Amino acid sequence: MPASLVVWILSALLIVGVLTQRWWEPRLEARGVPVRRWPWHWWLVGYPGTALRIVSTWRRLAYLNGLSVSMRPNNRVIGRDLVVQGTALRPRPPRLSWPVPTKTGLTLRVQLHPGQTPGPYYAAARAMEHAWRVHSVRVTSPRRGQVIMQVTAMDPLKGDVPATRSPAPVLLAADVGRIEDGEPWLIDLRRIPHWLVTGATQSGKSSLLASLVLALAPQPVALVGIDCKGAMELGLFGGRLTGLAINRTQAVGLLASVVDEIQARMTVCRALGKRSIWELPEHERPVPLVVIVDELAELYLTDGSRESRDEAEQCGTLLLRTAQLGAALGVHLVIAGQRVGSDLGPRVTALRAQLGGRVAHRAHDEASAEMTLGDINPDAVVTAQNITEDEQGVAVVAMGGRWMRARSRLVTTADAAEIAGMDPPVNPFLTMPDPVTFEKGGVAA
Ligand SMILES: Nc1ncnc2c1ncn2[C@@H]1O[C@H](COP(=O)(O)OP(=O)(O)OP(=O)(O)O)[C@@H](O)[C@H]1O
Ligand SMILES: [Mg+2]
């Protein structure tokens, strides 16, 4: 057979395979055959199809959603039995740019008509998703007079996030998963010092904390854990943690030591005339300290006795002080809980206000998502509520007024065992001798 004929046959098979992928892929998957979704499917079929659909529906979509603007009188006769009073106007849809393809979808730019604002475009985003049959449309307006529409064709957060062993980009930045545009999800504690992680049970909170520990473990950072659910989650990282509290009495001791440490670091900075530990020369800088709390509510639960009420209040005060004073002194808080509202106990809302980074997994009710994201962005609340039970590990991440969807990386037991075998930084506390023991609370170190 001549070589050119083979090339033609193979090319024809390839094209037929691509065009019929939607038909054969689910059938193969149903039979247990692992199917890899090739990126070229998007470039060859997905992108041209979506772009065509956008261009062909734009005029009608703009008209129905009030994006078109009437510019000139329409002198056409409308119909024999119809009387039109006033001036009939011809709506003109806004000018749409060429759809620029991206890895996960495409981007469009629209020039606003004089007198228009981006508001109606934000409101029309859901209608665009349905009209264009795409996963999501995100509308932003970074420049005056312009609206950018980022179209995501298929949910890039489907499927597990692959493990990565890439080195940490900078100190205290942790690559914990993937965000919806396919880029790594970085939790950067230098930029946003304290984080709140919420979600219903089995939504992926502890897995995110595990992913954070996995990413921070190779860095010269002291990790301190509070896990009052029997230390079943943070206990896995045993040896790498500088301290671990497994009940509230131990947590009070541990947090008191952390507050003492903050005060000691303050004294050092004051003596050297510096406003934060990051201004100190590297050899004099104390080791950064990350306090990770799994299931905050356990710290506030009381049995009605006076002692337990006092202990819960003490815990709340110490956490709040850590959040208020820690950032400049290299002490960071990452707190996870199902619901973090005023119903938990005193000073919880004040603590929440200090936690600038927010991660909301699937929530059972609107109020829980609202508590985490409502004060940052109301749109994000709606997105968090749309996370389904099957999307464990998917969350809405909000920071500094921006928000996005992301999925954490699932940490395997083998990874956890490897971390547990690592050594914590030597002598991370200024206030304590080496080896570190949290004597106040009798904390297991
Ligand atoms: N990023 C992820 N990718 C895939 N699966 C995940 C991910 N995160 C969590 N899961 C799955 O969800 C299950 C529950 O996760 P996790 O224990 O982190 O939930 P949780 O919110 O801490 O629940 P709880 O409130 O009961 O402690 C995990 O056992 C895992 O199977
Ligand atoms: Mg958990």
Side-chain angles (χ1 to χ4, degrees), residues 160 200-207 229 338 392-393 407-408 410:
D160 289 348
T201 182
Q202 295 295 294
S203 59
K205 302 179 296 294
S206 303
S207 302
K229 273 168 105 180
Q338 299 200 11
Q392 288 167 314
R407 182 168 211 154
S408 61
L410 196 57

Side-chain angles (χ1 to χ4, degrees), residues 159-161 176 185 198-211 229 233 294-295 336-338 361-362 389-394 407-411:
D160 289 348
V161 180
V176 293
W185 172 11
T198 63
T201 182
Q202 295 295 294
S203 59
K205 302 179 296 294
S206 303
S207 302
L208 173 59
L209 296 187
S211 190
K229 273 168 105 180
E233 301 290 351
D294 197 356
E295 211 40 81
Q338 299 200 11
H361 293 86
R362 173 178 53 83
E389 301 227 332
D390 300 331
E391 296 177 298
Q392 288 167 314
V394 173
R407 182 168 211 154
S408 61
R409 182 170 297 110
L410 196 57
V411 175

Side-chain angles (χ1 to χ4, degrees), residues 106-125:
L106 48 89
T107 306
L108 300 144
R109 208 180 48 248
V110 171
Q111 297 294 343
L112 296 181
H113 286 305
Q116 271 194 322
T117 62
Y121 290 82
Y122 298 145

Side-chain angles (χ1 to χ4, degrees), residues 257-338:
S257 307
V258 169
V259 172
D260 287 350
E261 173 68 16
I262 289 175
Q263 277 162 349
R265 291 181 183 199
M266 263 179 198
T267 313
V268 171
C269 286
R270 206 175 35 240
L272 296 171
K274 306 289 183 198
R275 287 153 75 191
S276 89
I277 63 157
W278 304 108
E279 291 178 12
L280 296 174
E282 207 171 328
H283 63 276
E284 283 181 33
R285 189 183 304 153
V287 177
L289 183 63
V290 181
V291 182
I292 300 172
V293 183
D294 197 356
E295 211 40 81
L296 181 73
E298 290 290 327
L299 296 180
Y300 287 91
L301 280 183
T302 63
D303 56 13
S305 68
R306 178 141 189 196
E307 295 84 64
S308 80
R309 271 208 315 273
D310 286 351
E311 209 173 64
E313 204 170 321
Q314 221 180 334
C315 245
T317 311
L318 289 167
L319 276 172
L320 183 58
R321 293 200 72 197
T322 308
Q324 280 174 349
L325 307 173
L329 300 157
V331 179
H332 304 272
L333 265 182
V334 180
I335 294 181
Q338 299 200 11

